[in-house]
Amino acid sequence: MDTASLMALSPLDGRYHEKVSSLRAIFSEYGLIRFRVMVEIRWIELLSEFGNLPEIPSLSAHAKQILNDIIDNFSLQDALRVKHIESGINHDVKAVEYFIKEKIGGNEELGAISEFIHFGCTSEDINNLSYGLMLQTARKQCILPALDDLLLLLRRFAHEHAHVPMLSRTHGQPATPTTVGKEIANIIARLQRQVDQLNNVQVLGKINGASGNYNAFVIAYPEADWQCLSKNFVTRLGLDWNAYTTQIEPHDCMAEFFAVMVRINNIILDFNRDTWGYIALNYFRQKSFSNEVGSSTMPHKVNPIDFENSEGNLGIANALYEHMIAKLPVSRWQRDLSDSTVLRNIGVAVGHSLLAYQSTSKGLEKLTPNLDVITADLDRHWEVLAEAVQTVMRRFKLEQPYEKLKSFTRGKRIDKISLQQFIADLPLPENAKKQLLELTPGEYIGYAEELASRI
């Protein structure tokens, strides 16, 4: 870790710098400027392709290459130049326009149309598209791959341990058995559903001027179909077009995106806490490494730190997401700047989410079921078969099956001998009685193994 990282205010730029490096080019100030440059350049390219704007002729291959090179070769030095321009004019988006004009100043063809950079646009036309591209890029390159990696580990764990019976717990008390794999399969099914929803959230964009009505566009070129052109541009960027906005794209789609992220994070949080509990019960062992220290004073400890780290990061991420969900769709009249600082923290929320996913994955790779403890716990709780016995009694119409089992088992620990004696005294058909007498807690798992195996 270098001294700059040691002085970082945010752990994302300090302690966890390397773990979230994939987000830096997307959500940093550099990333925002780069996306703004891209949007501005793609806009003037589209105007030149339109054909109905005589002052903006089609660009030559050489001119197009110059513009593409500005995007493809955009550097930290370029971003610093934009910031330098901004420091003189106190406007971040206008600084991008001036930067592009500087970059094309030596080319006569592009210089002739330089005043059509940012043509008709308000700053929010550029900003909303830039933030939309940020989300699209992060979803594709960072968020979904990290979740896919976690799901892959969960599936592997579920399949490997689909057959391992374990005592389940409802209200923290011994309950109808399940399998280790089925417990994991439940999480997989929940998580995959939300990942699919995240993949399908529309990220909207707009380019329609200062109040959403194309006023400046129409007054300059009333014969052009600016709505069609706007839709064409937004969709070419890979976003979904929003036809109705004020000066800003209202951010409802961001609220939808972050709401799915909150649900994803809550599912992983639920898994972390359950796994922590199973480790505490010694149902799961954690791999230990000779060079690691579990406690500064208790040498024997192997703490579930990965699941705890994940839980903490998920809490921070969700607090930010929940604020953004509430704040971003609300604006005073056509526009205010109260969303600006909030938007700049999207990468912080995503960063803490990614840290959490990595931590849960790391913890999962260390886990192995402690078969001796799991089996012994099952064998100590034959009372969980009370459900099976009373249900079979119902089938054969014995009187008060639930009440009899309740009287026999409630609040008691029942062993194999006493349960089998109870079953032997029941007036059941011999085949049904034989089935119950041969049943063990480890065999009373229903479709659990099948469900886990096919997830």
Side-chain angles (χ1 to χ4, degrees), residues 356-417:
Y357 307 159
Q358 293 169 23
S359 293
T360 297
S361 294
K362 184 179 178 182
L364 189 57
E365 288 184 296
K366 295 179 184 177
L367 287 188
T368 183
N370 189 343
L371 299 182
D372 291 341
V373 171
I374 291 173
T375 301
D377 209 15
L378 278 167
D379 200 45
R380 278 197 298 270
H381 292 284
W382 283 73
E383 65 271 16
V384 299
L385 295 182
E387 178 192 51
V389 175
Q390 65 97 6
T391 306
V392 173
M393 290 170 67
R394 285 174 186 272
R395 175 188 171 181
F396 292 102
K397 300 183 179 179
L398 273 62
E399 290 185 3
Q400 295 188 311
Y402 177 86
E403 287 73 16
K404 289 178 180 176
L405 267 298
K406 175 184 171 184
S407 176
F408 176 57
T409 64
R410 191 162 192 255
K412 304 172 188 175
R413 179 168 291 177
I414 304 299
D415 61 17
K416 177 180 179 180
I417 294 172

Side-chain angles (χ1 to χ4, degrees), residues 299-359:
H300 68 283
K301 294 188 73 182
V302 182
N303 294 328
I305 56 174
D306 299 305
F307 300 103
E308 294 170 343
N309 180 280
S310 177
E311 181 178 339
N313 278 296
L314 291 168
I316 295 170
N318 279 3
L320 288 168
Y321 286 137
E322 285 165 1
H323 176 65
M324 289 188 280
I325 289 166
K327 165 66 203 107
L328 290 177
V330 180
S331 177
R332 294 175 183 85
W333 294 330
Q334 293 286 314
R335 170 76 175 122
D336 68 61
L337 271 178
S338 61
D339 64 341
S340 180
T341 295
V342 177
L343 287 166
R344 289 177 182 274
N345 283 278
I346 294 173
V348 181
V350 175
H352 283 287
S353 298
L354 286 190
L355 283 175
Y357 307 159
Q358 293 169 23
S359 293

Side-chain angles (χ1 to χ4, degrees), residues 17-30:
H17 176 89
E18 292 182 358
K19 293 185 177 182
V20 293
S21 58
S22 62
L23 297 177
R24 247 168 259 292
I26 301 171
F27 289 112
S28 62
E29 182 78 358
Y30 161 86

